[in-house]
Amino acid sequence: MGRGLRLLTLLVALLIGAGCAGKTKSQDALSEHESYYLNANLDFAIEYPHDWIRTKGGKKGAVSDPYTVEWLSPAPPGEGSPARGRVTALPPSLVRGGIKEMLEIFQSAHPGFVVTDRREIELPSGPALQILGHTPQRTYQVVFLTSYRRAFTLSFSSPPEYFDRFRPAFSRMAESLTLLE
């Protein structure tokens, strides 16, 4: 009887331990975005698809380059990466005109950019302006968000034929943005 009780106690302890070690709600939320990026220098954290490749920087020589982090989706063999996610976190001193100036900076960096939709949205990190638009080569979803420490531009793009496929990933990345303040 003593051995059976010890075995039962051990079994109960293992079940309780397994329950405590199970996935938490936040781990479940990371199922598709299982990679997490934190940048204390640029004051943000974000989730992104685990198979995307992170790079540092945007267009070389651009004022925003040291303030930009980029992710590229996996590329089919012999092709370029179809989707790109980019977070630029500028100090407020570089965008004194707020969101209006942020949009102007974005448009000047993307010649031929045409806005097709513009709306205010609410993200967990705060109110933002979302722009949909395109250049001849790419379709964009751009989110502008400001805080007292940074002016964030989240730019997601792909060739038009891939945009609908990647748009849910773009939206999840934007919703996962956490401001470190």
Side-chain angles (χ1 to χ4, degrees), residues 17-31:
C20 291
K23 282 188 173 183
T24 64
K25 186 176 180 181
S26 64
Q27 287 171 321
D28 287 338
L30 290 176
S31 61

Side-chain angles (χ1 to χ4, degrees), residues 63-100:
V63 171
S64 61
D65 182 49
Y67 304 105
T68 300
V69 180
E70 181 176 69
W71 291 266
L72 302 173
S73 68
E79 294 184 29
S81 180
R84 176 183 315 137
R86 184 178 286 163
V87 177
T88 301
L90 295 173
S93 61
L94 293 180
V95 284
R96 294 190 189 277
I99 289 179
K100 181 181 178 196

